[in-house]
Amino acid sequence: MDTSNRRENKLKDKVLYNAFILDGKNKSKSYSATLYLKARSVTHTLSPYDAYEVIRIDSQDKTEDCSPDNMREIIYSTDENLKILNERATSLGLLNPELEDVQHHPLTPEFLDFHEHSEFYSYFHPELDAKRRQRVRGSVLGNCGISVYPMVKGREELLMHSVLSTLGEWPKDESGNPILWKDLDGFRNILKERGVQNRLYFLTGHAALRIAAMDGNPNREATDKEIDKMCGFLDEMISEGSIGFSTGLYYAPCVFASRKELIELLKVVKKHNALFAVHMREEGNRVLESINEVIELSKEVGGLRLEISHLKAVGVKNQIKVDSMLSLIEKARFEGLDVMFDQYPYTYGSTSLFSLLPPSALSLSDDELLTKIKDRTWREKTKYEMLHPDHFESIAELCTFDNVYIQSLGNTKEYDRKSINEIAKLRGDEDAFDTFFNILLESKGLAVMRDTTTCDENLMKIYTHPLSIYASDSIYAGTSWHERSTESTLEALRIAKRTGDWLSAVERMTSKGAKRISSDEVKYYTIDKGSIINFVDIYSLLN
């Protein structure tokens, strides 16, 4: 048998890479390739936590020579799935794409999730099973204005309550006392002690800054002195390694911030060339005005890196605005503003049920709200505001209670995955608003909802747009989680499989987000010589 026949028999039933590689011009391409790797640890199997340095790439387009010492060649096959040869690295001549019996599996780096709320999930589950099963290697935390730092003495309880419906229960020590820290360094060290191995990137949340800097109830406009204190805290957190500032202008207490407050905080962001991530004031009736607001804020401080969180149009009547939304962002980008956005691959979202209340209710302290919510006159007034919103986004009006579901409550699982209207019928309530108010009253502060917000067509327009970055918006509060918390990367890959655009999908989930964080992070999310990466076989993951 001649050499070519022996090679063809060797190839029979083999599955080779179709590796997504970043070339020298910083443009991603899809190659058939053999990769030569140097292990970054002493293990001899591909653990989900093992990183490998790419020493050499043999592909159709390029070959990079290197010393063969301590290298491993990695090849896919149907019978062994992933085989690592601890022999001297050598080309086996297995890369002939014209052979009919060869299947090419897409091979990518592990994924970067640009928008999560998994701070306490990371603490309680340092093995990160929900993330590792999705092959997520890196996570951006502290989004929507919600972070657990800075923390000042005497304001701990207020901060704890503010994150309950998003992050879940606060960590406690063996005696049942809350574990406390002062700043980002303190929280990051606690996660390190717990053994969290993923790469975590931390934004500093506006809500935590307001709680730390303001006296009394933070659901009001801040004084100049309080704004100065916020700016000082933000400067300190970014100096400790925070990648930027996040705000949730839809949520209390951020919704009460003045334009002056936002501008002063953004000056700190600009000083550090950090990221400005924003959950906009409205994603429904005034979504275009909200996009303009954050663009103008960014321009007013001389331009900065703006990241619009989970971009979407909420409500049936607002779906016609999506093209105009994208045009506004594209125009700002063309004019020189470094603006991008992220989105999760679902038409339905999840957040705190309390956030459905109007600003007049959210301005109350926790004790005041619990008292007011029992009052019939207050309920009727608040119901009217929710059905006739004046310069605030009312999910109750946009989506209706037919499309607002309970995801998780702190006191019961009885209503999980049921709509507010369905629960009203079960309870025998004549008015679903009474059901809504009673659920808030009974929830003990932990009430997570899900809502249908957009349509498939517009989800695809936004999610597959060139300026879009992959995100899950994972929330792990309560006992029942949205699918985006457990299988979001799989849904993103299913979309890629339907569209056939694997390359854009991989960029969206890896290098595009890494570049947004810093040039130093790119090596962990791209396949190129010198990269330090973990690997994902897309087909094996999907199957």
Side-chain angles (χ1 to χ4, degrees), residues 216-401:
N217 185 351
N219 297 321
R220 58 173 174 82
E221 192 168 304
T223 65
D224 289 350
K225 183 179 179 180
E226 289 169 336
I227 292 172
D228 287 342
K229 288 177 69 176
M230 283 184 232
C231 291
F233 283 130
L234 179 58
D235 186 77
E236 181 184 346
M237 295 304 99
I238 295 178
S239 297
E240 289 183 4
S242 171
I243 65 171
F245 165 66
S246 81
T247 186
L249 297 176
Y250 167 73
Y251 297 111
C254 312
V255 67
F256 300 103
S258 65
R259 187 176 183 86
K260 178 181 179 181
E261 176 182 326
L262 294 170
I263 290 296
E264 292 304 312
L265 288 166
L266 292 184
K267 287 178 182 177
V268 179
V269 176
K270 174 70 174 178
K271 167 188 167 184
H272 290 275
N273 190 31
L275 198 65
F276 171 36
V278 56
H279 179 142
M280 295 187 300
R281 197 174 300 276
E282 294 195 35
E283 297 175 326
N285 296 339
R286 294 175 55 83
V287 64
L288 297 175
E289 291 87 343
S290 295
I291 292 174
N292 274 322
E293 177 187 21
V294 297
I295 287 174
E296 291 306 316
L297 285 168
S298 302
K299 288 180 176 179
E300 190 167 331
V301 295
L304 42 68
R305 295 189 296 131
L306 169 62
E307 181 74 16
I308 299 177
S309 297
H310 41 61
L311 181 70
K312 58 184 172 292
V314 177
V316 173
K317 63 185 179 181
N318 293 313
Q319 297 308 301
I320 60 172
K321 298 178 180 178
V322 167
D323 288 340
S324 297
M325 292 162 53
L326 294 172
S327 293
L328 282 176
I329 295 169
E330 290 165 357
K331 180 175 181 289
R333 181 88 179 182
F334 178 78
E335 292 172 348
L337 183 66
D338 185 2
V339 54
M340 297 179 74
F341 52 86
D342 53 66
Q343 177 56 309
Y344 45 84
Y346 294 93
T347 58
Y348 46 99
S350 181
T351 189
S352 168
L353 190 65
F354 283 87
S355 71
L356 270 62
L357 291 168
S360 62
L362 295 175
S363 67
L364 301 171
S365 69
D366 295 338
D367 290 339
E368 289 172 332
L369 179 59
L370 290 176
T371 299
K372 289 283 189 180
I373 209 167
K374 300 173 185 177
D375 181 76
R376 170 55 55 185
T377 302
W378 182 89
R379 286 191 177 196
E380 290 300 322
K381 172 181 173 293
T382 303
K383 173 183 174 180
Y384 181 86
E385 290 181 36
M386 292 172 70
L387 290 176
H388 305 87
D390 182 17
H391 286 79
F392 84 95
E393 182 166 279
S394 174
I395 298 297
E397 182 263 338
L398 287 169
C399 300
T400 77
F401 282 151

Side-chain angles (χ1 to χ4, degrees), residues 112-162:
L112 171 61
D113 188 338
F114 213 78
H115 188 117
E116 289 187 22
H117 298 282
S118 57
E119 284 88 337
F120 290 166
Y121 177 80
S122 300
Y123 175 87
F124 289 113
H125 305 277
E127 68 285 356
L128 299 175
D129 282 349
K131 309 309 297 183
R132 301 307 309 171
R133 282 196 298 268
Q134 300 180 70
R135 300 312 297 264
V136 171
R137 187 187 191 191
S139 302
V140 177
L141 311 180
N143 285 284
C144 298
I146 303 165
S147 71
V148 294
Y149 46 82
M151 185 190 304
V152 299
K153 190 173 182 180
R155 304 289 280 174
E156 301 95 339
E157 189 172 341
L158 192 56
L159 181 61
M160 292 176 198
H161 184 81
S162 75

Side-chain angles (χ1 to χ4, degrees), residues 169 408-413 416 442-448 478-479:
E169 296 289 344
S408 185
L409 294 177
N411 60 321
T412 180
K413 293 184 179 182
D416 288 2
E442 298 162 8
S443 69
K444 302 186 185 302
L446 202 166
V448 184
T479 56

Side-chain angles (χ1 to χ4, degrees), residues 15-17 34 73-77 81-83 85 92 94:
V15 182
L16 305 180
Y17 298 130
T34 301
E73 182 182 10
I74 186 169
I75 305 167
Y76 274 93
S77 68
N81 189 26
L82 188 60
K83 184 178 181 181
L85 303 178
L92 298 182
L94 296 180

Side-chain angles (χ1 to χ4, degrees), residues 22 69-70 118 136 165 185 188 204 246 282 330 333 343 364 367 383-384 418 431 447 517 520 523 532:
L22 196 70
D69 297 337
N70 299 318
S118 57
V136 171
S165 282
D185 276 347
R188 191 164 43 200
T204 298
S246 81
E282 294 195 35
E330 290 165 357
R333 181 88 179 182
Q343 177 56 309
L364 301 171
D367 290 339
K383 173 183 174 180
Y384 181 86
K418 292 182 174 64
D431 188 343
I517 295 170
D520 291 338
K523 65 183 178 182
I532 302 169

Side-chain angles (χ1 to χ4, degrees), residues 4 55 81 110 132 137 181 224 290 316 456 475 503:
S4 61
I55 304 297
N81 189 26
E110 285 195 308
R132 301 307 309 171
R137 187 187 191 191
W181 48 84
D224 289 350
S290 295
V316 173
D456 288 323
I475 293 177
L503 186 55

Side-chain angles (χ1 to χ4, degrees), residues 363-482:
S363 67
L364 301 171
S365 69
D366 295 338
D367 290 339
E368 289 172 332
L369 179 59
L370 290 176
T371 299
K372 289 283 189 180
I373 209 167
K374 300 173 185 177
D375 181 76
R376 170 55 55 185
T377 302
W378 182 89
R379 286 191 177 196
E380 290 300 322
K381 172 181 173 293
T382 303
K383 173 183 174 180
Y384 181 86
E385 290 181 36
M386 292 172 70
L387 290 176
H388 305 87
D390 182 17
H391 286 79
F392 84 95
E393 182 166 279
S394 174
I395 298 297
E397 182 263 338
L398 287 169
C399 300
T400 77
F401 282 151
D402 277 326
N403 293 303
V404 174
Y405 300 82
I406 295 300
Q407 183 68 46
S408 185
L409 294 177
N411 60 321
T412 180
K413 293 184 179 182
E414 181 183 0
Y415 301 138
D416 288 2
R417 306 299 179 96
K418 292 182 174 64
S419 73
I420 301 296
N421 279 344
E422 288 174 321
I423 298 169
K425 291 177 182 177
L426 287 173
R427 294 172 65 127
D429 295 336
E430 293 184 6
D431 188 343
F433 274 88
D434 279 331
T435 306
F436 166 70
F437 292 130
N438 289 334
I439 288 173
L440 295 182
L441 197 59
E442 298 162 8
S443 69
K444 302 186 185 302
L446 202 166
V448 184
M449 54 158 265
R450 61 192 288 156
D451 54 344
T452 303
T453 57
T454 189
C455 65
D456 288 323
E457 178 184 357
N458 284 333
L459 170 66
M460 292 299 291
K461 279 185 182 179
I462 291 172
Y463 182 74
T464 62
H465 191 278
L467 294 178
S468 176
I469 297 175
Y470 164 77
S472 70
D473 200 5
S474 301
I475 293 177
Y476 296 98
T479 56
S480 176
W481 301 335
H482 191 292

